Amino acid sequence: MKGKKEEYKREIITHSIFTLLGKEDENIPVLERNLGVRIFSRGERIVLKGAKEDVEEAGRKLEKLLKEIAGREYISKEEINFLLSENRKITGEGIVLPRKVIRPRTGNQAYYLEMIEKNSVVFAIGPAGTGKTYLAVAAAVSYLLRKRVSRIVLTRPAVEAGESLGFLPGGFIEKVDPYLRPLYDALYDMLPADRVKRYIDNGTIEIAPLAFMRGRTLNDAFVILDEAQNTTHIQMKMMLTRIGENSRLVVTGDITQVDLPETSFSGLIEIQEILKDIDGVVFVYLSNKDVVRNNLVRKIVKAYEEYEKDR
């Protein structure tokens, strides 16, 4: 037929097709909107159809996206939107703090900070060394310094605060303090020591075990629940219902390192199903590709993932 523009087709083969397209190809519409072409799947082949220029550009973007998600099991629609955005900035200005400027070093880390900015509740799930806690603390300090909140609340479950620590001297706080120490370390890395001490002394920054959150309402606060894989169903529900007016909650954890007794089920694992369709709640998944602590740590995490997958 004369005048009809010829349709162009390109195929991309990838082992990450199920991650990219999602359950029952649910991510295809968001990919088509971002890439401006029609998308089909055939086995491990992704087929792009449209005008030649559009298909070639879409192919370049898609190949870049596939490199970023290689090895992952899940990617959300929101993350696809972010990773394919023309306005995405990975380096940019970062978070400017008194002692340093903290910049995301991977696309997933940039997406993580973006989601913290746009949502009231953010869950960050991934292995050690991916910056889950560090970036959350940086965001919290930034919010405090810009007076977007009046205080920071940092909390962790103290899983072994019972019999295994019973032989240690001191009261409950002294016994669980080692579990809270990584949160102190992050603060001292971002703020002068005298300011951290002043904020803690006057209650502007509170660092406490999760048990201390019961019965409270946390208004005008940036709240971080760290090591959340070690919360039970009841503890997770309790923490999520503490959030008051003008507050943000970031929940971080590694679901491959649950230290709960075998009779308890991780609240972080099950919450992914419970809150999956709630507006204002976002799940961010980090992987070994986001490990920035040390190249050796990245290799160790990957080795463990392969070992556990084989088993």
Side-chain angles (χ1 to χ4, degrees), residues 188 191-199:
Y188 282 112
L191 291 170
D194 60 337
R195 191 182 300 191
V196 174
K197 185 178 186 304
R198 184 170 70 251
Y199 282 157

Side-chain angles (χ1 to χ4, degrees), residues 186-217:
L187 286 171
Y188 282 112
D189 198 40
M190 299 172 193
L191 291 170
D194 60 337
R195 191 182 300 191
V196 174
K197 185 178 186 304
R198 184 170 70 251
Y199 282 157
I200 291 175
D201 289 344
N202 65 24
T204 300
I205 295 179
E206 178 183 358
I207 305 176
L210 183 58
F212 282 33
M213 299 299 114
R214 188 171 298 280
R216 301 174 59 185
T217 300

Side-chain angles (χ1 to χ4, degrees), residues 94-114:
I95 299 175
V96 181
L97 300 176
R99 295 195 65 178
K100 59 172 56 180
V101 177
I102 296 171
R103 295 183 175 90
R105 292 167 63 180
T106 71
N108 286 336
Q109 288 186 351
Y111 173 70
Y112 179 27
L113 291 178
E114 181 89 358

Side-chain angles (χ1 to χ4, degrees), residues 105-106 127-130 287-305:
R105 292 167 63 180
T106 71
T130 52
S287 72
N288 65 74
K289 294 181 180 296
D290 301 298
V291 174
V292 295
R293 185 177 293 170
N294 183 299
N295 283 334
L296 182 58
V297 174
R298 186 198 303 266
K299 294 177 182 177
I300 290 171
V301 170
K302 186 176 181 180
Y304 265 99
E305 287 177 352

Side-chain angles (χ1 to χ4, degrees), residues 57-119:
E57 177 64 16
R60 286 190 289 270
K61 290 182 178 179
L62 191 56
E63 286 178 336
K64 184 178 179 181
L65 176 61
L66 287 167
K67 287 181 180 179
E68 295 206 55
I69 68 172
R72 295 177 54 184
E73 295 182 0
Y74 174 81
I75 182 172
S76 67
K77 295 180 180 65
E78 294 84 3
E79 192 171 357
I80 290 173
N81 279 325
F82 176 78
L83 293 174
L84 290 175
S85 171
E86 294 293 338
N87 298 319
R88 171 185 164 195
K89 295 180 180 178
I90 295 179
T91 52
E93 290 299 320
I95 299 175
V96 181
L97 300 176
R99 295 195 65 178
K100 59 172 56 180
V101 177
I102 296 171
R103 295 183 175 90
R105 292 167 63 180
T106 71
N108 286 336
Q109 288 186 351
Y111 173 70
Y112 179 27
L113 291 178
E114 181 89 358
M115 292 302 99
I116 290 175
E117 183 69 20
K118 293 181 176 180
N119 296 274

Side-chain angles (χ1 to χ4, degrees), residues 135-151:
L135 291 174
V137 173
V141 171
S142 175
Y143 267 63
L144 180 67
L145 297 181
R146 289 183 290 149
K147 301 187 185 303
R148 294 183 63 177
V149 296
S150 62
R151 58 178 172 154

